[in-house]
């Protein structure tokens, strides 16, 4: 079975400071990993994904994520937070070994950027 | 390009009533999905369809049914609504079935459903 954990319900960061939103996963095969963002009263929007290759993945709005196989993590990062980054962030995983046609989402982390 | 539209935006429904949530996409995507979003539980897959004419069950299919008569539309029906189905429902699509490719999903704006 595949699973994903986002250990923090909320992350607070001051504007201009670096931010990290944590994600760990569990799969039996190789993972495909995704980050989505949800702004208030909106649907989820794709940010970035890791499939293979370079462990550092760059995505939309200046976000990036680092795949760490030994720690089974895929933390989302941004060097300098903006107030407009305040939103709900979801990590998601799909296990390529099982072939199950399903993406498992984490429970979400609310990011609050303080002016 | 509208992407994915959902209707209604929100609805208050009496328990026991039948309700159909509508979802339409104009991207000619093969695969479509229905999720429910609940606080502390994230998104859970209800049903999916890899292509027109086929459907499959997700994590939480009980109490819900879907149909996929054509590429664009993927309605979700609650035959007899219960209060535990109070949730925000998101429709999503991807160009191909997730089991075949690494495609990302595109989400609609959601329907907020309250069952009393």
């Amino acid at each position: 079975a595949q699973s994903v954990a986002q250990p923090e319900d909320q992350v607070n960061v001051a504007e201009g400071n670096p931010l990290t939103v944590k994600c760990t996963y569990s799969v039996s095969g190789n993972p495909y990993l995704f980050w989505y963002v949800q702004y208030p009263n909106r649907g989820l929007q794709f940010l970035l994904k890791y499939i293979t290759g370079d462990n550092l993945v760059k995505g939309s709005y200046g976000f990036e994520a680092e795949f760490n196989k030994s720690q089974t993590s895929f933390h989302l990062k941004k060097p300098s937070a903006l107030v407009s980054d305040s939103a709900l962030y979801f990590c998601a995983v799909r296990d390529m070994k099982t072939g199950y046609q399903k993406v498992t989402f984490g429970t979400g982390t609310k990011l609050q950027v303080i002016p | 390009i509208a992407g994915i539209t959902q209707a209604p935006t929100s609805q208050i429904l009496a328990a026991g009533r039948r309700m159909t949530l509508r979802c339409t996409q104009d991207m000619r995507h093969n695969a479509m999905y229905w999720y429910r979003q609940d606080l502390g539980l994230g998104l859970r897959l209800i049903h999916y369809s890899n292509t027109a004419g086929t459907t499959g069950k997700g994590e939480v299919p009980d109490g819900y049914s879907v149909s996929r008569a054509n590429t664009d539309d993927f309605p979700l029906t609650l035959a007899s609504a219960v209060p535990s189905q109070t949730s925000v429902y998101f429709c999503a699509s991807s160009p191909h079935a997730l089991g075949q490719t690494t495609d990302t999903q595109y989400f609609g704006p959601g329907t907020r459903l309250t069952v009393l």
Side-chain angles (χ1 to χ4, degrees):
Chain A
Q2 59 192 36
S3 65
V4 62
Q6 294 182 243
E8 302 155 317
D9 290 336
Q10 181 159 338
V11 170
N12 297 320
V13 63
E15 185 177 23
N17 282 2
L19 69 88
T20 298
V21 182
K22 296 180 181 178
C23 171
T24 58
Y25 66 90
S26 175
V27 295
S28 56
N30 291 321
Y32 285 0
L33 294 154
F34 306 82
W35 275 103
Y36 287 83
V37 59
Q38 184 181 29
Y39 297 102
N41 300 313
R42 302 286 296 275
L44 278 69
Q45 298 177 32
F46 169 76
L47 270 182
L48 51 81
K49 65 183 177 184
Y50 170 81
I51 305 302
T52 186
D54 194 348
N55 289 343
L56 185 64
V57 179
K58 294 186 182 298
S60 306
Y61 312 120
F63 283 92
E64 58 187 29
E66 185 170 10
F67 171 65
N68 187 316
K69 189 173 183 178
S70 63
Q71 297 185 4
T72 61
S73 67
F74 189 57
H75 301 332
L76 182 70
K77 299 180 179 182
K78 187 174 183 181
S80 179
L82 300 173
V83 172
S84 57
D85 292 330
S86 298
L88 190 57
Y89 290 81
F90 288 94
C91 183
V93 66
R94 184 159 70 88
D95 186 345
M96 293 312 298
K97 182 177 181 180
T98 60
Y100 185 36
Q101 296 171 357
K102 171 180 172 294
V103 171
T104 298
F105 286 84
T107 53
T109 298
K110 182 179 180 180
L111 173 67
Q112 189 72 41
V113 180
I114 303 164
Chain B
I1 297 177
I4 296 181
T5 58
Q6 293 184 237
T9 301
S10 65
Q11 181 75 44
I12 299 174
L13 188 66
R17 297 295 297 269
R18 180 184 180 90
M19 176 73 190
T20 295
L21 308 185
R22 300 185 298 277
C23 174
T24 299
Q25 55 107 353
D26 63 3
M27 298 176 284
R28 306 303 295 172
H29 284 176
N30 284 324
M32 298 186 74
Y33 316 86
W34 274 106
Y35 292 90
R36 59 177 290 173
Q37 183 180 26
D38 302 291
L39 190 63
L41 297 176
L43 273 76
R44 292 180 292 169
L45 182 66
I46 304 171
H47 285 287
Y48 66 92
S49 169
N50 287 334
T51 188
T54 69
T55 62
K57 294 181 178 180
E59 295 177 79
V60 289
D62 294 343
Y64 306 95
S65 63
V66 292
S67 61
R68 188 87 184 278
N70 57 61
T71 297
D72 298 344
D73 300 302
F74 191 44
L76 176 74
T77 297
L78 289 68
S80 180
V82 295
S84 62
Q85 292 178 311
T86 294
S87 186
V88 181
Y89 291 86
F90 287 100
C91 181
S93 71
S94 60
H96 303 287
L98 291 181
Q100 299 173 6
T101 73
T102 60
D103 284 330
T104 60
Q105 296 174 73
Y106 298 80
F107 286 81
T111 294
R112 184 175 296 275
L113 181 66
T114 302
V115 182
L116 301 176

